[in-house]
């Protein structure tokens, strides 16, 4: 899909991977709506890229429906959705001296990292199905964000890993569901990227994580994630696939 003048919504666009993606797609000529649950960061990124700030909780059906309508009204019919909104979880084993894993933590992970992205994807996809196809036959593109934890989660990450694995599992059936409408779906499973979620971790943990990364032996830049999002949008043969973006890291047990 040619991104010039295309209306795009990036969830979690106020920081980290989402902010970098908003910048990259705006640089490609897209009209970007920066969706975040907090106004200030969304407005800051939107001002930087001459985009639109939209405040919404990505798990809230009415709020997302309204946000998509606003993006449509201000930027034109939305043809690209990039789901970057999500959150990590405190380290906790399934059972042990601290007791059994709290169900509320699992429910929170499923809500924020599975229900939220699916909520945005289903509502955006429904609107895309009603658009006229582009000359390529495409009506839209959806890019979701998983994690390498979906494949090799370390100790204490059972809820987060399960949630991110669910995003991977949704990718192919969602792509198949939407293929007849000309809507492509891909997922990126990033490794260790220099986002606020990662860099706020204790120094000892960051040193351990670096030791697990073969090459390049560093944390990824959000701009590198954003570059892959752009390529997915622009390459029509990418569909139904989850792409690991991780410098060949395989997460250790601990």
């Amino acid at each position: 899909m040619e991104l010039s003048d295309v209306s795009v919504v990036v969830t979690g666009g106020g920081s980290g991977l989402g902010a970098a993606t908003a910048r990259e797609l705006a640089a490609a000529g897209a009209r970007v709506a920066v969706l975040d649950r907090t106004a200030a960061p969304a407005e800051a990124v939107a001002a930087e890229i001459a985009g639109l700030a939209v405040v919404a909780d990505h798990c809230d059906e009415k709020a997302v429906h309204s946000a998509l309508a606003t993006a449509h009204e201000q930027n034109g019919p939305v043809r690209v959705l990039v789901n970057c909104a999500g959150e990590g979880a405190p380290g906790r084993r399934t059972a042990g001296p601290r007791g059994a894993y709290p169900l509320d933590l699992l429910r929170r992970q499923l809500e924020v990292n599975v229900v939220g992205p699916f909520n945005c994807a289903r509502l955006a996809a429904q609107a895309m199905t009603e658009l006229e196809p582009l000359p390529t036959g495409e009506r839209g593109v959806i890019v979701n964000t998983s994690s390498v934890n979906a494949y090799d989660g370390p100790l204490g990450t059972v809820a987060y890993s399960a949630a991110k694995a669910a995003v991977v599992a949704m990718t192919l059936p969602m792509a198949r569901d939407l293929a007849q409408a000309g809507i492509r779906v891909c997922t990126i499973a990033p490794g260790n990227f220099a986002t606020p979620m990662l860099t706020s971790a204790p120094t000892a943990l960051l040193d351990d994580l670096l030791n697990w990364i073969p090459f390049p032996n560093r944390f990824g830049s959000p701009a590198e994630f954003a570059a892959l999002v752009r390529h997915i949008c622009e390459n029509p043969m990418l569909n139904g696939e989850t792409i690991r973006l991780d410098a060949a890291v395989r997460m250790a047990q601990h």
Side-chain angles (χ1 to χ4, degrees):
M1 180 181 292
E2 170 59 49
L3 289 168
S4 181
D5 292 325
V6 165
S7 177
V8 173
V9 172
V10 180
T11 76
S15 65
L17 301 179
T21 297
R23 295 184 186 104
E24 177 71 21
L25 300 187
R31 298 190 296 274
V32 180
V34 180
L35 188 154
D36 205 279
R37 62 184 178 184
T38 306
E43 291 168 354
V45 174
E48 179 186 338
I49 64 173
L52 172 69
V54 185
V55 180
D57 179 345
H58 72 304
C59 300
D60 186 310
E61 180 174 8
K62 291 183 179 179
V64 171
H65 192 276
S66 176
L68 291 172
T70 299
H72 184 139
E73 180 182 334
Q74 297 293 321
N75 289 343
V78 176
R79 290 194 182 270
V80 175
L81 169 73
V82 186
N83 273 317
C84 292
E87 65 181 37
R92 184 75 178 262
R93 297 195 187 197
T94 304
R98 298 172 65 190
Y101 195 97
L103 282 179
D104 285 348
L105 291 182
L106 175 64
R107 291 190 179 104
R108 174 67 182 175
Q109 282 298 297
L110 295 176
E111 179 74 8
V112 174
N113 290 327
V114 183
V115 174
F118 183 72
N119 181 43
C120 296
R122 71 189 182 95
L123 295 176
Q126 183 60 44
M128 291 174 189
T129 64
E130 299 166 8
L131 303 178
E132 288 297 316
L134 298 171
T136 59
E138 293 178 288
R139 284 187 171 86
V141 178
I142 296 170
V143 182
N144 294 316
T145 303
S146 179
S147 167
V148 293
N149 281 62
Y151 301 97
D152 36 67
L155 289 167
T157 65
V158 61
Y160 180 75
S161 297
K164 289 302 186 179
V167 176
V168 173
M170 289 193 298
T171 305
L172 182 58
M174 188 182 292
R176 287 172 167 170
D177 284 349
L178 301 175
Q180 190 172 6
I183 300 168
R184 295 187 289 114
V185 181
C186 280
T187 294
I188 301 174
N192 299 303
F193 274 68
T195 65
M197 186 186 299
L198 177 70
T199 55
S200 62
T203 301
L205 175 58
L206 295 178
D207 289 343
D208 278 345
L209 293 176
L210 276 173
N211 288 334
W212 300 347
I213 303 173
F215 184 83
N217 181 227
R218 60 172 174 80
F219 296 136
S221 163
E224 292 166 325
F225 175 93
L228 180 54
V229 173
R230 177 173 176 173
H231 183 69
I232 290 169
C233 292
E234 293 178 338
N235 189 330
M237 286 301 288
L238 283 170
N239 193 19
E241 187 59 80
T242 297
I243 304 168
R244 288 184 68 134
L245 186 66
D246 60 14
V249 73
R250 295 298 180 267
M251 303 295 279
Q253 177 175 303
H254 59 280

